[in-house]
Amino acid sequence: MRLVWQLVAVVAVSFLGGQALVAVEDGPWLTFAVGLATAVVGVVVYRWVVRLTERRAVVEAALRGAAPALVRGTLLGLGLFALVIVNLAFLGSYTVHGLGSPSSALGLLGFMAAAAVTEELLWRGVLFRVVEGWTGTWVALAATGLLFGLAHLLNPHATLWGAIAIAIEAGGMLTAAYVATRRLWVPIGLHLGWNVAGSAIFSTEVSGNDTPQGLLDATTSGHVLVTGGTFGPEGSLYSVVFCVVTAAVFLVVAHRRGRIVPLRRAARTDVTATLPR
């Protein structure tokens, strides 16, 4: 039942926050404020429901050390997406025409903060963590990554290739970041930095979501495997390669720290309580 209660709590925050964001979407400052509020409430509710249902300290969302971990993850996400854009620009597939909408960029920052936090709480904090306790790291990583990709098929301009790319990139990289750190803050920051770069800064489509223009007035053009097409640069082979390499680095770190959970160990122990920190 703990899985059900935790899912209900986090999904409720995500849904209500999403509805509030829709209600204020024409006001960038309100969107920014509501997005940040949703993110904060999400963390508070997650800590509360996990403590209530598992009767333990919620170490994966501990506030101590959260800020520097968030900053590291965000910078990494920004850098990775910028690297994708640099390669697209080199091929002539990304062109900047001028300044876009700074106010819209502010609203996108709030929206993406809410999305990054609630999605990481749901997918890594609840689903991956609980499933890993049943199956071990590798099965849980593959299963939740696949589900994460399939969930993106619901987006307005979703493509099968885009969903596959998301499953490999985000499902793999963000989960690997959690496994390596056993904290949610680096994956939250990584998710946030990636999405903010794609939307608020470089004004590209994010996961086929009809993303508004951000800071730059820019366009992408070229083959779908290079640009991601209507799904956005997350469907680019550059994104897949860079994220797979990053995931591999995180997994090597996790292995060296003894944080990969084999099936036999998952079946016998409380993974969250016994893994090295």
Side-chain angles (χ1 to χ4, degrees):
M1 285 298 292
R2 62 170 177 152
L3 176 61
V4 174
W5 285 114
Q6 290 172 20
L7 284 175
V8 168
V10 174
V11 169
V13 173
S14 178
F15 175 77
L16 293 174
Q19 293 302 300
L21 285 167
V22 170
V24 300
E25 62 183 351
D26 292 331
W29 282 101
L30 274 176
T31 302
F32 177 72
V34 170
L36 289 186
T38 301
V40 171
V41 171
V43 172
V44 171
V45 168
Y46 175 85
R47 286 169 54 85
W48 168 76
V49 74
V50 171
R51 188 182 297 112
L52 181 68
T53 56
E54 299 185 17
R55 301 189 182 281
R56 64 174 178 83
V58 190
V59 292
E60 70 274 15
L63 299 181
R64 184 176 181 180
L70 273 172
V71 170
R72 289 195 299 271
T74 301
L75 290 176
L76 179 58
L78 289 168
L80 282 171
F81 198 91
L83 190 58
V84 174
I85 292 297
V86 166
N87 280 274
L88 295 186
F90 179 77
L91 294 177
S93 294
Y94 177 82
T95 305
V96 176
H97 307 290
L99 186 65
S101 174
S103 62
S104 177
L106 179 68
L108 283 166
L109 178 58
F111 181 88
M112 293 305 175
V117 171
T118 56
E119 287 185 14
E120 289 310 301
L121 293 174
L122 175 63
W123 290 97
R124 259 57 67 179
V126 178
L127 286 172
F128 172 78
R129 184 177 56 80
V130 173
V131 174
E132 185 187 38
W134 300 335
T135 67
T137 299
W138 298 114
V139 173
L141 188 154
T144 58
L146 178 61
L147 287 174
F148 189 68
L150 290 176
H152 285 75
L153 284 173
L154 300 174
N155 295 346
H157 298 294
T159 64
L160 179 59
W161 164 245
I164 293 170
I166 285 287
I168 296 169
E169 299 161 3
M173 179 178 66
L174 296 174
T175 304
Y178 172 74
V179 175
T181 62
R182 290 295 163 178
R183 299 287 189 274
L184 288 166
W185 304 116
V186 169
I188 286 174
L190 185 51
H191 196 153
L192 175 64
W194 178 274
N195 281 0
V196 166
S199 61
I201 298 176
F202 294 109
S203 299
T204 65
E205 186 67 81
V206 176
S207 305
N209 266 317
D210 276 332
T211 312
Q213 185 182 69
L215 185 63
L216 299 176
D217 176 13
T219 55
T220 58
S221 60
H223 195 281
V224 64
L225 290 180
V226 174
T227 67
T230 58
F231 192 77
E234 286 161 315
S236 168
L237 285 177
Y238 284 114
S239 294
V240 174
V241 171
F242 296 149
C243 291
V244 166
V245 170
T246 304
V249 172
F250 275 125
L251 290 172
V252 168
V253 171
H255 175 73
R256 290 178 177 175
R257 293 176 176 175
R259 292 172 176 171
I260 302 292
V261 181
L263 176 58
R264 62 183 182 277
R265 183 177 174 189
R268 295 199 312 264
T269 64
D270 181 342
V271 170
T272 302
T274 59
L275 278 170
R277 295 286 168 184

